[in-house]
Amino acid sequence: EIVLTQSPATLSLSPGERATLSCRASQSVSTYLAWYQQKPGQAPRLLIYDASNRATGIPARFSGSGSGTDFTLTISSLEPEDFAVYYCQQRDNWPYTFGQGTKLEIK
Amino acid sequence: EVQLVESGGGLVQPGGSLRLSCAASGFTFSSCDMHWVRQVTGKGLEWVSAIGTAGDTYYPDSVKGRFTISRENAKNSLYLQMNSLRAGDTAMYYCARASVSGLPDYWGQGTLVTVSS
């Protein structure tokens, strides 16, 4: 089973700042990695698929990069609605595992 | 508009069974892979199962042999039969459609399963 490790566990930033979230895989997942955003009481929302492709309707301030074992989700300038929990998920091998999440909180 | 509506959750005793359903609309259900994902309150996401358009199924070890995913294309419906339930299966269960990448893009709002005596 591929283990995804996200860091940091919590990221405290202010609106307007740049956020950089990391997801590291225990073995290569090529570019088969997605990022999700989840707000309290809501279902997850797909942001990025296949490492760097924005999903439909996702603002350009969200970008993904990486391949192999190291991936990054970048939010270029934080908006108030971006404070949430972010998860990565891989689809290179069954089972399709998730990372444990990064909580992005307002500083 | 893509819609996924889960139902069937509730309180069940350890060792019991429950069948979750997911009603899909707004897309060609028969052409899409589908997933179930669960989340313990306040915790992270755990992928539970997937089914392909050809009926191929996939599970993590944590539910293999106890859970069965199935689909009924004529009814645009996805199911999760859960047997031998344990306290650790208590969670919100989400139905999700797979995008072209294979991973979920649209999610339902979830149905809560509580396993307790």
Side-chain angles (χ1 to χ4, degrees):
Chain A
E1 172 175 317
I2 295 175
V3 176
L4 298 180
T5 302
Q6 293 186 240
S7 62
T10 303
L11 184 58
S12 300
L13 293 171
S14 300
E17 291 193 291
R18 181 184 186 91
T20 303
L21 288 67
S22 173
C23 178
R24 177 164 289 178
S26 59
Q27 64 189 71
S28 176
V29 297
S30 184
T31 57
Y32 300 139
L33 189 108
W35 289 94
Y36 301 90
Q37 176 194 69
Q38 189 179 32
K39 297 179 181 179
Q42 295 184 16
R45 173 194 182 195
L46 177 67
L47 300 174
I48 302 287
Y49 65 93
D50 290 349
S52 60
N53 297 287
R54 267 191 306 277
T56 302
I58 301 303
R61 63 181 182 274
F62 291 91
S63 63
S65 63
S67 66
T69 60
D70 290 295
F71 299 86
T72 300
L73 174 69
T74 301
I75 310 172
S76 59
S77 179
L78 286 165
E79 297 288 340
E81 62 268 27
D82 298 337
F83 292 91
V85 180
Y86 292 83
Y87 296 94
C88 56
Q89 185 188 20
Q90 63 83 22
R91 69 169 183 100
D92 185 72
N93 267 309
W94 300 102
Y96 284 1
T97 45
F98 286 93
Q100 83 280 14
T102 289
K103 182 179 181 180
L104 179 55
E105 64 177 25
I106 299 176
K107 187 173 182 180
Chain B
E1 179 193 4
V2 173
Q3 285 200 322
L4 298 165
V5 180
E6 302 93 337
S7 61
L11 175 64
V12 61
Q13 292 190 337
S17 298
L18 213 54
R19 189 196 197 204
L20 306 183
S21 299
C22 173
S25 61
F27 65 100
T28 305
F29 179 76
S30 59
S31 298
C32 292
D33 296 348
M34 298 294 295
H35 295 264
W36 287 100
V37 176
R38 68 185 180 185
Q39 185 172 36
V40 175
T41 302
K43 302 297 184 183
L45 301 168
E46 181 185 11
W47 173 78
V48 171
S49 63
I51 186 166
T53 57
D56 44 314
T57 59
Y58 306 88
Y59 307 93
D61 287 346
S62 59
V63 307
K64 195 176 294 183
R66 300 188 300 123
F67 289 11
T68 302
I69 188 173
S70 62
R71 64 191 302 160
E72 190 168 357
N73 290 337
K75 293 186 175 181
N76 290 337
S77 292
L78 178 73
Y79 306 102
L80 186 68
Q81 177 67 43
M82 304 186 296
N83 299 329
S84 303
L85 283 162
R86 309 164 178 167
D89 296 318
T90 294
M92 182 71 77
Y93 284 73
Y94 294 102
C95 160
R97 185 189 82 165
S99 69
V100 293
S101 78
L103 289 179
D105 58 356
Y106 287 92
W107 301 61
Q109 285 306 303
T111 186
L112 183 63
V113 172
T114 303
V115 183
S116 176
S117 54

